[in-house]
Amino acid sequence: LIGIRISEVWFGVITLFPEMLKSVTDFGVVGKAIKQSSIEVCTWNPRDYATDNYRTVDDRPYGGGPGMLMKVGPLEAALNAAKSVAPAGSKVVYLSPQGRRLDQALARSALSVPGLILLCGRYEGIDERLIEDEVDEEWSLGDFVLSGGEIAAMAIIDSVSRLAPGVLGHNESAEQDSFENSLLDCPHYTRPEIYRDKRVPEVLLSGNHEKIRRWRLEQSLLRTLQRRPDLLEQRELSEEEAQIIQELRRGQLI
Ligand SMILES: NC(=O)c1ccc(NCc2cccc(O)c2)nc1
């Protein structure tokens, strides 16, 4: 069968610490999806492409200053090795604080490319000329500095993979996730019915699915209004949601 892709989602990771990726590849729904080959995660370590006896992977920055950069040669060789097996049309994404902020929409958009090559910087980063020539997009988890891009890469692998068809069983579902409809999640309850003298909201015990759906939507909107009103700005509200927001603003809803 020519051109039939086995895995739904393909990730190549360029990293000096490939073992770190086990945190996503060996556990949970992503780990299971990898076992079932709906996801593939391959790693390439620049150290394996170092040409000197000390297997050097860092180099000094022109212009001086503290810290080192990733040595260009080994990094470029590792990237080329990844590109040679990546699905055609894969995107090279560099993880850095200088990148575009990751959100659910960006994660969802990543599903539509054949593969992602995730470039994990260490030290102070990488040579700008490699970024110019090889990197398609720079992404960031947020405005903070990590010692390397690996944790950001793992966050991307997890958030993208769980959106792929067949990765979450019918028990879990990504559609109901908070941010999936770009609202914060509603409160959740499980056994016992009375816990620390607190009862589960009656509506959730009623078995009335329409009332439950409505209550959960009201709670999500209330929580979003209280904690992240900015999310409501950028969102198309349905007729029902707009009406609930009105009631919430008038303080009519508990
Ligand atoms: N916010 C993030 O997604 C993020 C990503 C990477 C990173 N560290 C590696 C690195 C890479 C490049 C420049 C640099 O200064 C540091 N830290 C935080």
Side-chain angles (χ1 to χ4, degrees), residues 209-225:
H209 298 291
E210 173 48 27
K211 274 181 71 179
I212 291 167
R213 179 200 65 80
R214 172 84 187 198
W215 180 86
R216 285 176 169 160
L217 179 57
E218 286 167 1
Q219 293 299 315
S220 287
L221 287 164
L222 172 63
R223 205 168 245 197
T224 310
L225 203 54

Side-chain angles (χ1 to χ4, degrees), residues 38-221:
S38 22
I39 299 173
E40 194 170 355
V41 178
C42 316
T43 60
W44 282 269
N45 185 343
R47 194 173 295 280
D48 296 336
Y49 300 86
T51 50
D52 63 315
N53 296 339
Y54 304 95
R55 300 192 354 124
T56 311
V57 290
D58 61 343
D59 209 342
R60 295 174 55 229
Y62 281 114
M68 301 289 274
L69 294 172
M70 292 184 78
K71 189 174 178 58
V72 166
L75 183 57
E76 181 190 22
L79 184 55
N80 286 336
K83 286 166 77 171
S84 67
V85 302
S90 290
K91 232 182 230 180
V92 177
V93 172
Y94 178 47
L95 292 315
S96 93
Q98 286 73 41
R100 174 182 168 186
R101 182 75 177 264
L102 178 71
D103 60 13
Q104 196 69 7
L106 184 57
R108 215 178 295 119
S109 72
L111 274 182
S112 52
V113 296
L116 285 181
I117 295 178
L118 302 172
L119 194 45
C120 301
R122 281 269 152 177
Y123 314 112
E124 304 312 307
I126 72 177
D127 190 295
E128 191 64 18
R129 292 163 294 183
L130 255 180
I131 298 176
E132 283 165 6
D133 282 7
E134 298 290 347
V135 169
D136 297 304
E137 296 186 20
E138 249 179 286
W139 292 357
S140 169
L141 284 195
D143 297 332
F144 50 87
V145 182
L146 299 163
S147 339
E150 285 80 7
I151 290 174
M154 287 190 271
I156 285 163
I157 290 171
D158 191 291
S159 62
V160 174
S161 300
R162 59 193 307 285
L163 293 175
V167 171
L168 287 185
H170 59 283
N171 266 336
E172 316 105 329
S173 72
E175 297 74 46
Q176 308 304 321
D177 270 0
S178 59
F179 288 109
E180 214 18 56
N181 55 16
S182 76
L183 294 178
L184 299 185
D185 211 1
C186 61
H188 298 289
Y189 301 84
T190 186
R191 291 179 300 179
E193 269 189 46
I194 300 176
Y195 179 60
R196 299 181 175 200
D197 293 335
K198 294 184 231 221
R199 293 189 54 74
V200 171
E202 278 311 314
V203 64
L204 298 181
L205 308 173
S206 70
N208 179 328
H209 298 291
E210 173 48 27
K211 274 181 71 179
I212 291 167
R213 179 200 65 80
R214 172 84 187 198
W215 180 86
R216 285 176 169 160
L217 179 57
E218 286 167 1
Q219 293 299 315
S220 287
L221 287 164

